[in-house]
Amino acid sequence: MNVFHFVQAFFSDGAHWHGYDGIPRRMVEHLQYSAAALGVAAAIALPIGLVTGHTGRGGNALAFVATAARALPSFGLLVLMFVLMGLSILPVMIPLVVLAVPPILVTTYEAVRNVDASPVDAARGMGMHPAKILFQVELPVALPLILSGLRSAAIQIVSTATIAAYVSLGGLGRYIVDGLYQRDYEKVVGGAALVAALALLVLGLFWAVGRAVVSPGVRRR
Amino acid sequence: MTPTHPATRTNPPRQDRGVFGALIVIEDVSKRYPDGTVAVDRLSLEVPDRSITVLVGPSGCGKTTTLRMINRMIEPSSGRILLDGADIQQQPVNALRRSMGYVIQNAGLFQHRTVIDNIATVPRLLGWHRQRARARAAELMERVGLDASMAKRYPYQLSGGQQQRVGVARALAADPPVLLMDEPFSAVDPVVRRGLQEELLRIQEELGKAILFVTHDIDEAIRLGDQVAVLRTGGRLAQFAPPDELLSSPADPFVADFLGADRGIRGLSFFTSAGLNLDPAPVVAVDATAKQMAKRVTPDVPYVLVTDVDGKPLGWAEPARWAEGGKTLTPYGQTFEFGRDSLRVALDCAVLSPTGWAVGVDRTGSVVGVASQESVATAIRAAHAERAVRARDAAAPGTGARGTGAPGTGARGTGARGAGPAGAARRGGAGGEAGGAPGSAAGAGAEAAQ
């Protein structure tokens, strides 16, 4: 039996497609955790990254925080938060957000900071307010890089959200954790395949968003 | 302008400011940085309306700092700057900037916006409706010589020269009275730069803005400036004068050195060829008989210039050989337009001519006469003498106030340039493709002079 047999067996089993432990339900749960974590991480990291990138100040502090956050093990953090806070969605959200903030923060800062100085100078010289310069001059040009930061954060979240299952929550991690306990490798491989597919879906989603929101003048085609 | 302000001592009385008066007055302005660097040192300058004032100097002379103090991108440490009589410090900074067009090196276009939306930026900032702003932008594209088909393109699809045209159009979009240009043409190749310079002169003739232009290129300064301020390292004014005066009488060795080697020759661009004594004698039509042709030959001129029946030049011929049937013509080379091209062009034609004689033509290209290198030299001497007289006359009244930085100098330069032969000569030298425009500009200049 190889991996493909497991996958095929998992997906062809009708019992996996409906009910409390069905694929649709687990998928929705997984997406909910991921979207919430990405939303919170973006709400924290985007404004800080935009402002520090615009002013060009605080880059060192930012790099320090990002490196420190990256060094935190997500699983360890999850267990710690679970012990401290008990059973709720919060102990899952915290490690996911901690995971997602550094890539968003660092790429946003770098993206805005590296916007060509001359259009910004021209905009100032034309009498544009600083906020308008940030949103109408710097942001549109920095957008592809900012999206790439969001994208890598999103993919990391989607893959890591499986740990929610360790603290008795749902999501696609359920199949992996339960499968391991039940020695049901069909389930483990099926769950892993679903997570991988979801990650690819996110990739495709960000590509589409990039096409839709980045100006052709910046994409250069 | 409050007359009690101590800095007004070196500046002209208020009545000097008329339609063509000083629009921007820089009074005793300095910029010192906390680390002790002095970028600009007690600079006083005036930028008159309807003229191009060029700031030129080596790097570190504070020319860009000076320009950026005018739209308050940099705040001066001391002194003050007046725009149309009002201190710019008293004005809201963004409103002030919107009243001044700003053009920078590399254009600084917004790469995520199309050409037309780039140009419409300031009108949009001023709250214009999108349609109106775009209509205005389309108008400006035409003005700066951009094809309407470029409207929907993005900056990366344009050449450097086209990008800079968009930059100029964007600066002009809200029709500001002032244009600040910070080394706008230094990033493009010499041929494109030349085209952009001519375009700027043409636009200036049409619109008549107060332009402050920063460059490190002295040739550009001389080509464009109605008056040129030469700054030396440390932000001190070395000389402020019209370009012909700069070339003929640099204030000190620094300015002379900065102007470069052949400033005497370059100065000839400011003298018209109208004073040249053209000799029509050696010009014959191609249908002339050998006898008629022989009559035209003098001991000094062994050649005659053969023209077609309309008077257009064909080439030089030696009458003796022509009579023998050897009807070969030596190419006449370049011609100059009599009265419109400068003495520099005339001299160049004489130097390049195979016979040593320059061919002067009229507006239609018909030959007016020919001039030898010697007669060009005579005209140069006469022009120099005439200028010396003019300078003495101009200096006679109001002697005290007129230093190198005295604003009176600038105003006089503007008038003389537009009205007199010098203005015509510059346009002639710049290529003279403008057609009917120079006449009207000369008229405007004449009004200025009165």
Coordinates of all heavy atoms in Angstrom, one line a residue, chain B residues 69-156:
Chain B
M69 N 13.8 74.9 -0.8 CA 13.3 75.8 0.2 C 12.1 76.6 -0.3 O 11.3 77.1 0.5 CB 14.4 76.7 0.7 CG 15.4 75.9 1.7 SD 16.5 77.0 2.6 CE 17.6 77.5 1.3
I70 N 12.0 76.7 -1.6 CA 10.9 77.6 -2.1 C 9.6 76.9 -2.0 O 8.6 77.5 -1.8 CB 11.3 78.0 -3.6 CG1 12.4 78.9 -3.5 CG2 10.1 78.6 -4.3 CD1 13.0 79.3 -4.9
N71 N 9.5 75.5 -2.2 CA 8.3 74.9 -1.9 C 8.2 74.2 -0.5 O 7.4 73.3 -0.3 CB 7.9 73.9 -3.0 CG 8.8 72.7 -3.2 OD1 9.8 72.6 -2.4 ND2 8.6 71.9 -4.1
R72 N 9.1 74.6 0.3 CA 9.2 74.2 1.7 C 9.4 72.7 1.9 O 8.9 72.2 2.9 CB 7.9 74.7 2.5 CG 8.0 76.3 2.6 CD 6.8 76.8 3.4 NE 6.8 76.3 4.8 CZ 5.7 76.4 5.6 NH1 4.6 77.0 5.2 NH2 5.7 75.9 6.8
M73 N 10.0 72.1 1.0 CA 10.4 70.7 1.2 C 11.6 70.7 2.2 O 11.8 69.8 2.9 CB 10.9 70.1 -0.1 CG 9.9 70.1 -1.2 SD 8.7 68.8 -1.1 CE 9.6 67.5 -1.9
I74 N 12.3 71.9 2.2 CA 13.3 72.1 3.3 C 13.0 73.5 3.8 O 12.7 74.4 3.1 CB 14.7 72.1 2.6 CG1 15.1 70.7 2.0 CG2 15.8 72.5 3.6 CD1 16.4 70.7 1.3
E75 N 13.1 73.6 5.1 CA 12.9 74.9 5.8 C 14.2 75.6 6.0 O 15.1 75.1 6.5 CB 12.1 74.7 7.1 CG 10.8 74.0 7.0 CD 9.7 74.9 6.4 OE1 10.0 76.0 6.0 OE2 8.6 74.4 6.3
P76 N 14.2 76.9 5.6 CA 15.5 77.7 5.8 C 15.8 77.9 7.3 O 14.9 77.9 8.1 CB 15.2 79.0 5.1 CG 13.8 79.1 5.0 CD 13.2 77.7 5.0
S77 N 17.1 78.0 7.6 CA 17.5 78.3 9.0 C 17.3 79.8 9.3 O 17.0 80.1 10.4 CB 19.0 77.9 9.2 OG 19.3 76.7 8.7
S78 N 17.5 80.6 8.3 CA 17.3 82.0 8.5 C 17.0 82.7 7.2 O 17.1 82.1 6.1 CB 18.5 82.7 9.1 OG 19.6 82.6 8.2
G79 N 16.5 83.9 7.2 CA 16.1 84.6 6.0 C 14.6 84.2 5.7 O 14.0 83.5 6.4
R80 N 14.1 84.8 4.6 CA 12.8 84.5 4.2 C 12.6 84.5 2.7 O 13.4 85.1 2.0 CB 11.8 85.4 4.9 CG 12.0 86.8 4.7 CD 11.0 87.7 5.4 NE 10.9 89.0 4.7 CZ 9.9 89.8 4.7 NH1 8.8 89.5 5.4 NH2 10.0 90.9 4.0
I81 N 11.5 83.9 2.3 CA 11.2 83.8 0.9 C 9.8 84.3 0.7 O 8.9 83.9 1.4 CB 11.4 82.3 0.4 CG1 12.8 81.8 0.6 CG2 10.9 82.2 -1.0 CD1 13.0 80.3 0.5
L82 N 9.7 85.2 -0.3 CA 8.4 85.8 -0.6 C 7.9 85.3 -1.9 O 8.7 85.2 -2.9 CB 8.5 87.3 -0.7 CG 9.1 88.0 0.5 CD1 9.2 89.5 0.3 CD2 8.3 87.8 1.8
L83 N 6.6 84.9 -2.0 CA 6.0 84.6 -3.2 C 4.9 85.6 -3.5 O 4.0 85.8 -2.7 CB 5.4 83.2 -3.1 CG 4.5 82.7 -4.3 CD1 5.3 82.6 -5.6 CD2 3.7 81.5 -4.0
D84 N 5.1 86.3 -4.6 CA 4.2 87.4 -4.9 C 4.0 88.3 -3.7 O 2.8 88.7 -3.5 CB 2.8 86.8 -5.4 CG 2.1 87.7 -6.3 OD1 2.7 88.6 -6.8 OD2 0.9 87.4 -6.6
G85 N 5.0 88.6 -3.0 CA 5.0 89.6 -1.9 C 4.6 89.0 -0.6 O 4.7 89.7 0.4
A86 N 4.2 87.7 -0.5 CA 3.8 87.2 0.8 C 4.8 86.1 1.2 O 5.3 85.3 0.4 CB 2.4 86.5 0.6
D87 N 5.1 86.2 2.5 CA 6.1 85.2 3.1 C 5.5 83.8 3.0 O 4.4 83.5 3.4 CB 6.3 85.6 4.6 CG 7.5 84.8 5.1 OD1 7.8 83.8 4.6 OD2 8.0 85.3 6.1
I88 N 6.3 82.9 2.4 CA 5.8 81.5 2.2 C 5.6 80.8 3.5 O 4.8 79.8 3.6 CB 6.6 80.7 1.2 CG1 8.1 80.6 1.8 CG2 6.6 81.3 -0.2 CD1 8.8 79.5 1.1
Q89 N 6.3 81.2 4.6 CA 6.1 80.6 5.9 C 4.7 80.8 6.4 O 4.3 80.0 7.2 CB 7.1 81.2 6.9 CG 8.5 80.8 6.7 CD 8.7 79.3 6.9 OE1 8.0 78.7 7.7 NE2 9.6 78.7 6.2
Q90 N 4.0 81.8 6.0 CA 2.7 82.1 6.5 C 1.6 81.3 5.8 O 0.5 81.4 6.1 CB 2.4 83.6 6.4 CG 3.4 84.5 6.9 CD 3.7 84.3 8.4 OE1 2.8 84.1 9.1 NE2 5.0 84.3 8.7
Q91 N 2.0 80.5 4.7 CA 1.0 79.9 3.9 C 0.9 78.4 4.2 O 1.9 77.8 4.5 CB 1.3 80.1 2.4 CG 1.3 81.6 2.1 CD 1.8 81.8 0.7 OE1 1.6 81.0 -0.2 NE2 2.5 82.9 0.5
P92 N -0.2 77.8 4.1 CA -0.4 76.4 4.4 C 0.5 75.6 3.4 O 0.5 75.9 2.2 CB -1.8 76.1 4.1 CG -2.5 77.4 4.0 CD -1.5 78.4 3.8
V93 N 1.3 74.7 3.9 CA 2.4 74.1 3.0 C 1.8 73.4 1.8 O 2.4 73.6 0.7 CB 3.3 73.3 3.9 CG1 2.6 72.0 4.4 CG2 4.5 72.9 3.1
N94 N 0.8 72.7 1.9 CA 0.3 71.9 0.8 C -0.3 72.8 -0.3 O -0.2 72.6 -1.5 CB -0.6 70.8 1.2 CG 0.2 69.6 1.8 OD1 1.3 69.3 1.3 ND2 -0.4 69.0 2.8
A95 N -1.0 73.8 0.2 CA -1.6 74.8 -0.8 C -0.5 75.5 -1.5 O -0.6 75.8 -2.7 CB -2.5 75.8 0.0
L96 N 0.6 75.9 -0.8 CA 1.7 76.5 -1.4 C 2.3 75.6 -2.5 O 2.6 76.1 -3.6 CB 2.8 76.8 -0.3 CG 4.1 77.4 -0.8 CD1 3.9 78.9 -1.0 CD2 5.2 77.1 0.1
R97 N 2.5 74.3 -2.2 CA 3.1 73.4 -3.1 C 2.2 73.2 -4.4 O 2.7 73.1 -5.5 CB 3.4 72.1 -2.5 CG 4.5 72.2 -1.5 CD 4.7 70.9 -0.7 NE 5.8 71.0 0.3 CZ 6.0 70.2 1.3 NH1 5.2 69.1 1.3 NH2 6.9 70.4 2.2
R98 N 0.9 73.2 -4.1 CA 0.0 73.1 -5.3 C 0.0 74.3 -6.2 O -0.4 74.2 -7.4 CB -1.4 72.8 -4.8 CG -1.6 71.4 -4.3 CD -2.9 71.2 -3.6 NE -2.8 70.1 -2.6 CZ -3.7 69.8 -1.7 NH1 -4.8 70.5 -1.6 NH2 -3.5 68.7 -0.9
S99 N 0.5 75.4 -5.7 CA 0.6 76.6 -6.5 C 1.9 76.7 -7.3 O 2.2 77.6 -8.0 CB 0.4 77.9 -5.7 OG 1.6 78.1 -4.9
M100 N 2.8 75.6 -7.1 CA 4.0 75.6 -7.8 C 4.2 74.3 -8.5 O 4.1 73.2 -7.9 CB 5.2 75.7 -6.8 CG 5.2 77.0 -6.0 SD 6.5 77.0 -4.9 CE 6.4 78.7 -4.2
G101 N 4.4 74.3 -9.8 CA 4.7 73.1 -10.5 C 6.1 72.5 -10.1 O 7.0 73.3 -9.8
Y102 N 6.2 71.2 -10.0 CA 7.5 70.7 -9.5 C 7.9 69.5 -10.4 O 7.2 68.6 -10.6 CB 7.2 70.1 -8.1 CG 8.4 69.6 -7.3 CD1 9.6 70.4 -7.2 CD2 8.4 68.4 -6.7 CE1 10.7 69.9 -6.5 CE2 9.4 67.9 -5.9 CZ 10.6 68.7 -5.8 OH 11.6 68.2 -5.1
V103 N 9.1 69.7 -11.0 CA 9.6 68.7 -11.9 C 10.9 68.3 -11.4 O 11.8 69.1 -11.1 CB 9.8 69.3 -13.4 CG1 10.2 68.2 -14.3 CG2 8.5 70.0 -13.8
I104 N 11.1 66.9 -11.3 CA 12.4 66.4 -10.8 C 13.1 65.5 -11.8 O 12.5 65.1 -12.8 CB 12.2 65.7 -9.5 CG1 11.2 64.5 -9.6 CG2 11.7 66.6 -8.4 CD1 11.0 63.7 -8.4
Q105 N 14.3 65.2 -11.5 CA 15.1 64.3 -12.3 C 14.4 62.9 -12.3 O 13.7 62.6 -11.4 CB 16.5 64.1 -11.6 CG 17.5 63.6 -12.6 CD 18.9 63.4 -11.9 OE1 19.1 63.9 -10.8 NE2 19.7 62.7 -12.6
N106 N 14.5 62.2 -13.4 CA 13.8 61.0 -13.6 C 12.3 61.1 -13.6 O 11.6 60.1 -13.5 CB 14.2 59.9 -12.6 CG 15.7 59.6 -12.6 OD1 16.2 59.5 -13.7 ND2 16.3 59.6 -11.5
A107 N 11.8 62.3 -13.6 CA 10.3 62.6 -13.7 C 9.5 62.2 -12.5 O 8.6 62.9 -12.1 CB 9.7 61.9 -14.9
G108 N 9.9 61.1 -11.8 CA 9.1 60.7 -10.6 C 7.7 60.4 -10.9 O 6.8 60.8 -10.1
L109 N 7.4 59.7 -12.0 CA 6.0 59.4 -12.3 C 5.5 58.3 -11.4 O 6.2 57.5 -10.9 CB 5.9 59.0 -13.7 CG 6.3 60.0 -14.8 CD1 6.1 59.5 -16.2 CD2 5.6 61.4 -14.6
F110 N 4.1 58.3 -11.2 CA 3.5 57.2 -10.5 C 3.3 56.1 -11.4 O 2.5 56.1 -12.3 CB 2.2 57.7 -9.9 CG 2.3 59.0 -9.1 CD1 1.3 60.0 -9.2 CD2 3.3 59.2 -8.2 CE1 1.4 61.1 -8.4 CE2 3.4 60.3 -7.5 CZ 2.5 61.3 -7.6
Q111 N 4.0 55.0 -11.2 CA 4.1 53.9 -12.1 C 2.8 53.1 -12.2 O 2.5 52.4 -13.1 CB 5.2 52.9 -11.9 CG 5.3 52.5 -10.4 CD 6.3 51.3 -10.3 OE1 6.1 50.3 -11.0 NE2 7.3 51.4 -9.5
H112 N 1.9 53.3 -11.1 CA 0.6 52.5 -11.1 C -0.5 53.3 -11.8 O -1.6 52.8 -11.9 CB 0.2 52.2 -9.7 CG 0.0 53.4 -8.8 ND1 1.1 54.2 -8.4 CD2 -1.1 54.0 -8.4 CE1 0.6 55.2 -7.7 NE2 -0.7 55.1 -7.6
R113 N -0.1 54.5 -12.3 CA -1.2 55.3 -12.9 C -0.8 55.5 -14.4 O 0.4 55.6 -14.7 CB -1.3 56.7 -12.2 CG -1.9 56.6 -10.9 CD -2.3 58.0 -10.4 NE -2.8 57.8 -9.0 CZ -2.9 58.9 -8.2 NH1 -2.5 60.1 -8.5 NH2 -3.4 58.7 -7.0
T114 N -1.8 55.7 -15.2 CA -1.6 55.9 -16.6 C -1.1 57.3 -16.8 O -1.1 58.2 -15.9 CB -2.9 55.8 -17.4 OG1 -3.9 56.7 -16.8 CG2 -3.5 54.4 -17.4
V115 N -0.6 57.6 -18.0 CA 0.0 58.9 -18.3 C -1.1 60.0 -18.0 O -0.8 61.0 -17.3 CB 0.4 59.0 -19.8 CG1 0.6 60.4 -20.3 CG2 1.6 58.1 -20.0
I116 N -2.3 59.8 -18.4 CA -3.3 60.9 -18.3 C -3.6 61.1 -16.8 O -3.8 62.2 -16.3 CB -4.5 60.6 -19.1 CG1 -5.4 61.9 -19.3 CG2 -5.4 59.5 -18.5 CD1 -5.9 62.1 -20.7
D117 N -3.6 60.0 -16.0 CA -3.9 60.2 -14.6 C -2.8 60.7 -13.8 O -2.9 61.4 -12.8 CB -4.4 58.8 -14.0 CG -5.8 58.5 -14.4 OD1 -6.5 59.4 -14.8 OD2 -6.2 57.3 -14.3
N118 N -1.5 60.5 -14.3 CA -0.4 61.1 -13.7 C -0.5 62.6 -13.9 O -0.3 63.4 -12.9 CB 0.9 60.6 -14.4 CG 1.6 59.5 -13.6 OD1 2.2 59.8 -12.6 ND2 1.5 58.3 -14.0
I119 N -0.8 63.0 -15.1 CA -0.9 64.5 -15.4 C -2.0 65.1 -14.6 O -1.9 66.3 -14.1 CB -1.0 64.7 -16.9 CG1 0.2 64.1 -17.6 CG2 -1.2 66.2 -17.2 CD1 0.0 64.2 -19.1
A120 N -3.1 64.4 -14.4 CA -4.3 64.9 -13.7 C -4.1 65.0 -12.2 O -5.0 65.4 -11.5 CB -5.5 64.1 -14.0
T121 N -2.9 64.6 -11.6 CA -2.8 64.5 -10.2 C -3.1 65.8 -9.4 O -4.0 65.8 -8.5 CB -1.3 64.1 -9.8 OG1 -1.0 62.9 -10.5 CG2 -1.2 63.9 -8.3
V122 N -2.5 66.9 -9.8 CA -2.7 68.1 -9.0 C -4.1 68.6 -9.1 O -4.8 69.0 -8.1 CB -1.6 69.2 -9.3 CG1 -1.9 70.4 -8.5 CG2 -0.2 68.6 -9.0
P123 N -4.7 68.7 -10.4 CA -6.1 69.1 -10.5 C -7.0 68.2 -9.6 O -7.9 68.7 -8.9 CB -6.4 68.9 -11.9 CG -5.1 69.1 -12.6 CD -4.1 68.6 -11.7
R124 N -6.7 66.9 -9.5 CA -7.5 66.0 -8.6 C -7.3 66.4 -7.2 O -8.3 66.4 -6.4 CB -7.1 64.6 -8.9 CG -7.5 64.0 -10.2 CD -9.0 63.7 -10.4 NE -9.4 62.6 -9.6 CZ -10.6 62.4 -9.1 NH1 -11.5 63.3 -9.4 NH2 -10.9 61.3 -8.5
L125 N -6.1 66.7 -6.8 CA -5.8 67.2 -5.4 C -6.6 68.4 -5.1 O -7.0 68.7 -4.0 CB -4.3 67.4 -5.2 CG -3.4 66.2 -5.1 CD1 -1.9 66.6 -4.9 CD2 -3.8 65.4 -3.9
L126 N -6.7 69.3 -6.1 CA -7.4 70.5 -5.9 C -8.9 70.3 -5.9 O -9.7 71.3 -5.9 CB -7.0 71.5 -7.0 CG -5.6 72.0 -7.0 CD1 -5.2 72.8 -8.2 CD2 -5.4 72.9 -5.7
G127 N -9.4 69.1 -6.1 CA -10.8 68.8 -6.0 C -11.6 68.9 -7.3 O -12.8 68.9 -7.3
W128 N -10.8 68.9 -8.4 CA -11.5 68.9 -9.7 C -12.2 67.5 -9.9 O -11.8 66.5 -9.4 CB -10.5 69.1 -10.9 CG -9.9 70.4 -11.0 CD1 -9.7 71.3 -9.9 CD2 -9.3 71.0 -12.1 NE1 -9.0 72.4 -10.4 CE2 -8.8 72.2 -11.8 CE3 -9.2 70.6 -13.5 CZ2 -8.2 73.1 -12.7 CZ3 -8.6 71.4 -14.4 CH2 -8.1 72.6 -14.0
H129 N -13.3 67.6 -10.7 CA -14.0 66.3 -11.1 C -13.1 65.6 -12.0 O -12.3 66.1 -12.8 CB -15.3 66.7 -11.8 CG -16.2 65.5 -12.0 ND1 -16.1 64.7 -13.1 CD2 -17.0 64.9 -11.1 CE1 -17.0 63.7 -13.0 NE2 -17.5 63.8 -11.8
R130 N -13.2 64.2 -12.0 CA -12.2 63.4 -12.7 C -12.3 63.7 -14.2 O -11.2 63.8 -14.9 CB -12.6 61.9 -12.5 CG -11.6 61.0 -13.2 CD -12.1 59.5 -13.1 NE -12.0 59.0 -11.8 CZ -11.0 58.5 -11.2 NH1 -9.9 58.3 -11.9 NH2 -11.0 58.0 -10.0
Q131 N -13.5 63.9 -14.8 CA -13.6 64.2 -16.2 C -12.9 65.5 -16.6 O -12.2 65.6 -17.6 CB -15.1 64.3 -16.6 CG -15.8 63.0 -16.5 CD -15.1 61.8 -17.2 OE1 -14.4 62.0 -18.2 NE2 -15.1 60.7 -16.6
R132 N -13.1 66.5 -15.7 CA -12.5 67.8 -16.0 C -11.0 67.7 -15.9 O -10.2 68.3 -16.8 CB -13.0 68.8 -15.0 CG -12.6 70.2 -15.3 CD -13.2 71.2 -14.4 NE -12.4 72.4 -14.4 CZ -12.2 73.2 -13.3 NH1 -12.6 72.8 -12.1 NH2 -11.4 74.2 -13.4
A133 N -10.5 67.0 -14.9 CA -9.1 66.9 -14.7 C -8.4 66.1 -15.9 O -7.4 66.5 -16.4 CB -8.8 66.1 -13.4
R134 N -9.1 65.1 -16.4 CA -8.6 64.3 -17.5 C -8.6 65.2 -18.8 O -7.7 65.1 -19.6 CB -9.4 63.1 -17.7 CG -9.0 62.0 -16.7 CD -9.5 60.6 -17.2 NE -9.0 59.6 -16.3 CZ -9.5 58.5 -16.0 NH1 -10.6 58.2 -16.7 NH2 -9.0 57.6 -15.2
A135 N -9.7 66.0 -19.0 CA -9.7 66.8 -20.2 C -8.6 67.8 -20.2 O -7.9 68.0 -21.2 CB -11.0 67.6 -20.2
R136 N -8.3 68.4 -19.0 CA -7.2 69.3 -18.8 C -5.9 68.6 -19.1 O -5.0 69.1 -19.8 CB -7.2 69.8 -17.4 CG -6.0 70.6 -17.0 CD -5.9 72.0 -17.6 NE -4.7 72.7 -17.2 CZ -4.1 73.6 -18.0 NH1 -4.6 73.9 -19.1 NH2 -3.0 74.2 -17.6
A137 N -5.7 67.3 -18.6 CA -4.5 66.6 -18.8 C -4.3 66.3 -20.3 O -3.2 66.4 -20.8 CB -4.6 65.2 -18.0
A138 N -5.4 66.0 -21.0 CA -5.3 65.7 -22.4 C -4.7 67.0 -23.2 O -3.9 66.9 -24.1 CB -6.6 65.3 -23.0
E139 N -5.2 68.1 -22.7 CA -4.8 69.4 -23.3 C -3.3 69.6 -23.1 O -2.6 70.0 -24.0 CB -5.5 70.5 -22.5 CG -6.0 71.7 -23.2 CD -6.8 72.5 -22.1 OE1 -8.0 72.3 -21.9 OE2 -6.1 73.4 -21.5
L140 N -2.8 69.2 -21.9 CA -1.4 69.4 -21.6 C -0.5 68.4 -22.4 O 0.6 68.7 -22.7 CB -1.2 69.3 -20.1 CG -1.5 70.6 -19.5 CD1 -1.9 70.5 -18.1 CD2 -0.3 71.5 -19.6
M141 N -1.1 67.2 -22.6 CA -0.3 66.2 -23.4 C 0.1 66.8 -24.7 O 1.2 66.7 -25.2 CB -1.1 65.0 -23.6 CG -1.1 64.1 -22.3 SD -2.0 62.5 -22.6 CE -0.8 61.8 -23.7
E142 N -0.9 67.5 -25.3 CA -0.7 68.1 -26.6 C 0.4 69.2 -26.5 O 1.3 69.4 -27.3 CB -2.0 68.7 -27.1 CG -2.0 68.9 -28.6 CD -3.3 69.6 -29.0 OE1 -4.4 69.3 -28.4 OE2 -3.3 70.4 -30.0
R143 N 0.2 70.0 -25.4 CA 1.1 71.1 -25.2 C 2.6 70.7 -25.1 O 3.5 71.4 -25.6 CB 0.7 71.9 -24.0 CG 1.6 73.0 -23.5 CD 0.9 74.2 -23.0 NE 0.6 75.1 -24.1 CZ -0.4 76.0 -24.1 NH1 -1.2 76.0 -23.1 NH2 -0.6 76.7 -25.2
V144 N 2.8 69.6 -24.4 CA 4.2 69.2 -24.3 C 4.7 68.2 -25.4 O 5.7 67.6 -25.3 CB 4.5 68.5 -22.9 CG1 4.1 69.4 -21.8 CG2 3.7 67.2 -22.8
G145 N 3.8 68.0 -26.4 CA 4.2 67.2 -27.5 C 4.1 65.7 -27.4 O 4.9 65.0 -27.9
L146 N 3.1 65.3 -26.6 CA 2.9 63.9 -26.4 C 1.6 63.5 -27.2 O 0.6 64.2 -27.2 CB 2.6 63.5 -25.0 CG 3.8 63.5 -24.0 CD1 3.4 63.4 -22.6 CD2 4.7 62.3 -24.4
D147 N 1.7 62.4 -28.0 CA 0.6 62.0 -28.8 C -0.5 61.5 -27.9 O -0.3 60.9 -26.8 CB 1.1 60.8 -29.7 CG 0.1 60.6 -30.8 OD1 0.1 61.3 -31.8 OD2 -0.7 59.7 -30.6
A148 N -1.8 61.8 -28.3 CA -2.9 61.4 -27.5 C -3.0 59.9 -27.3 O -3.6 59.4 -26.3 CB -4.2 61.9 -28.2
S149 N -2.4 59.1 -28.2 CA -2.5 57.7 -28.0 C -1.7 57.2 -26.8 O -1.8 56.0 -26.4 CB -1.9 57.0 -29.3 OG -0.5 57.3 -29.4
M150 N -0.9 58.1 -26.2 CA -0.1 57.6 -25.0 C -0.9 57.8 -23.7 O -0.4 57.3 -22.7 CB 1.1 58.5 -24.9 CG 2.0 58.5 -26.1 SD 3.7 58.5 -25.6 CE 4.4 58.1 -27.2
A151 N -2.1 58.4 -23.8 CA -2.9 58.7 -22.6 C -3.0 57.5 -21.7 O -2.9 57.6 -20.5 CB -4.2 59.3 -23.0
K152 N -3.3 56.3 -22.3 CA -3.6 55.1 -21.5 C -2.4 54.3 -21.2 O -2.5 53.2 -20.6 CB -4.7 54.3 -22.2 CG -6.1 55.0 -22.3 CD -6.9 54.8 -21.1 CE -8.2 55.5 -21.1 NZ -8.1 56.8 -20.5
R153 N -1.3 54.7 -21.6 CA -0.1 53.9 -21.3 C 0.4 54.2 -19.9 O 0.1 55.2 -19.2 CB 1.1 54.4 -22.2 CG 0.8 54.0 -23.7 CD 2.0 53.7 -24.4 NE 1.7 53.6 -25.8 CZ 2.6 53.9 -26.8 NH1 3.8 54.2 -26.5 NH2 2.2 53.8 -28.0
Y154 N 1.2 53.2 -19.4 CA 1.8 53.4 -18.1 C 3.3 53.8 -18.3 O 3.9 53.6 -19.3 CB 1.8 52.0 -17.4 CG 0.4 51.7 -16.9 CD1 -0.4 50.9 -17.7 CD2 -0.1 52.2 -15.7 CE1 -1.7 50.6 -17.2 CE2 -1.4 51.9 -15.3 CZ -2.2 51.1 -16.0 OH -3.5 50.8 -15.6
P155 N 3.8 54.5 -17.2 CA 5.2 55.0 -17.3 C 6.2 54.1 -17.9 O 7.1 54.5 -18.6 CB 5.5 55.5 -15.9 CG 4.2 55.9 -15.3 CD 3.2 54.9 -15.9
Y156 N 6.1 52.8 -17.5 CA 7.2 51.9 -17.9 C 7.2 51.7 -19.4 O 8.1 51.2 -20.0 CB 7.1 50.5 -17.2 CG 6.0 49.6 -17.7 CD1 6.4 48.6 -18.6 CD2 4.7 49.6 -17.3 CE1 5.4 47.7 -19.1 CE2 3.8 48.8 -17.7 CZ 4.1 47.8 -18.7 OH 3.2 46.9 -19.2

